[in-house]
Amino acid sequence: MTDVLHILGNGDSMGVPRVYCDCEVCTEARTEGLNWRLRSAAYLETETGGLWIDIGPDWASQMEAMGKRSMPIALLTHAHFDHMAGLPEWADCCRWTGEKGILYAPREVLVLVRDRYPWLENQLIYREADGGTHFGEWTITTRKVCHGKNGYSYAYRFEKPGFAFVYCPDAINLGEEEKAFLRGLDLLVLGTSYYKEEFDFHTRSVYDMTEALELAEEIKPRRIYFTHMSHGVDVRTAYPLPDHASLTARGMRIPLSI
Ligand SMILES: [Zn+2]
Ligand SMILES: [Zn+2]
């Protein structure tokens, strides 16, 4: 069996539709639903089990969509609402089932999680992921990345013989050392809120697709998939993307083999 990365959500922090918004994309998301995007999260499926990446506010819907009744182990990219707001619900599930969950995150992210939700450690076991970890055959390494005006996030690099990928939903303006972490990839899953984001660069926190394609020119992943997309992205638009670049879709399964 080939391991698979499932895209459980590919929306930005507010998802699509945005509650307050009547734009064309949000309206389409409410009616037809092509642009309906849950908050960004992923699931690595292997023969020996699965690993969740990020636990946002849409966590319960994402579990239902997968038909999963429990989540034994998860990895957190950073302590922003859209990536961790499902933690209390996960912990509650663990309380009901009596099986503790294991949460991997960098030390400084765990400090913020403890501060925000001080009661979760009754049900969740925290493990520091700064030095990386392993999951089945995968070696996972951790890298702090620039998240623009929103501070920092982390990216995770997954490697096993014959395949390497990085999951990096929230990043912008990466320096040379951060880019080095993204070299030699078969697959890069990168957050891009817009095709072209017009706001001032210093107010921004996530790449747009045009910048991501420039980045891809430099680091040359075999494939690049865009996630964390706002209501500024309309999947009905034929964006000028090269063959190796695509938008993710909710429920997409990306095989982790060449
Ligand atoms: Zn985010
Ligand atoms: Zn963020």
Side-chain angles (χ1 to χ4, degrees):
M1 187 192 97
T2 303
D3 292 351
V4 173
L5 188 71
H6 296 250
I7 301 299
L8 307 183
N10 58 345
D12 74 342
S13 61
M14 296 211 66
V16 184
R18 293 189 179 191
V19 168
Y20 68 87
C21 184
D22 279 320
C23 77
E24 235 184 78
V25 174
C26 288
T27 302
E28 191 285 330
R30 283 187 191 99
T31 50
E32 305 300 317
L34 294 172
N35 281 293
W36 176 39
R37 293 191 272 279
L38 301 176
R39 265 56 73 92
S40 289
Y43 173 72
L44 170 62
E45 181 188 10
T46 76
E47 245 171 74
T48 50
L51 173 71
W52 277 259
I53 311 169
D54 284 338
I55 309 104
D58 296 317
W59 176 75
S61 321
Q62 290 164 336
M63 291 293 283
E64 290 298 331
M66 293 280 291
K68 297 284 185 192
R69 297 283 167 272
S70 70
M71 179 168 97
I73 179 163
L75 193 61
L76 193 64
T77 58
H78 61 309
H80 284 165
F81 162 82
D82 54 322
H83 298 260
M84 71 158 182
L87 285 172
E89 207 168 1
W90 177 27
D92 253 1
C93 285
C94 294
R95 183 168 63 84
W96 284 101
T97 61
E99 288 167 21
K100 289 197 176 196
I102 299 172
L103 177 68
Y104 279 93
R107 186 182 153 73
E108 63 181 337
V109 173
L110 289 174
V111 168
L112 294 170
V113 172
R114 272 195 189 100
D115 186 53
R116 198 76 48 84
Y117 308 121
W119 65 93
L120 299 189
E121 274 172 290
N122 292 332
Q123 317 301 339
L124 302 180
I125 298 161
Y126 292 171
R127 299 222 171 121
E128 293 177 8
D130 303 77
T133 183
H134 289 271
F135 186 77
E137 287 181 276
W138 295 94
T139 299
I140 304 172
T141 45
T142 307
R143 184 69 173 84
K144 193 170 187 169
V145 290
C146 175
H147 190 2
K149 102 170 187 318
N150 287 348
Y152 66 87
S153 176
Y154 281 82
Y156 291 106
R157 181 173 177 127
F158 297 76
E159 278 182 275
K160 73 176 194 180
F163 203 87
F165 75 96
V166 163
Y167 186 79
C168 179
D170 293 52
I172 193 167
N173 201 19
L174 296 182
E176 288 309 315
E177 283 182 28
E178 293 158 305
K179 286 179 192 169
F181 186 77
L182 305 177
R183 289 186 192 272
L185 295 178
D186 299 295
L187 167 70
L188 172 60
V189 181
L190 185 71
T192 52
S193 292
Y194 293 82
Y195 176 72
K196 177 86 192 123
E197 188 168 352
E198 301 295 349
F199 301 112
D200 261 8
F201 193 75
H202 75 275
T203 67
R204 294 179 41 209
S205 55
V206 175
Y207 278 116
D208 70 26
M209 287 179 211
T210 65
E211 296 158 342
L213 292 173
E214 284 170 24
L215 175 68
E217 277 300 303
E218 267 185 73
I219 58 163
K220 301 205 180 327
R222 288 168 59 92
R223 287 210 61 78
I224 182 166
Y225 278 96
F226 301 132
T227 188
H228 208 280
M229 295 176 287
S230 76
H231 66 163
V233 174
D234 188 340
V235 296
R236 299 166 299 176
T237 301
Y239 296 109
L241 301 180
D243 285 347
H244 63 276
S246 348
L247 312 190
T248 54
R250 173 173 33 90
M252 178 183 258
R253 299 159 50 96
I254 305 173
L256 301 172
S257 63
I258 296 171

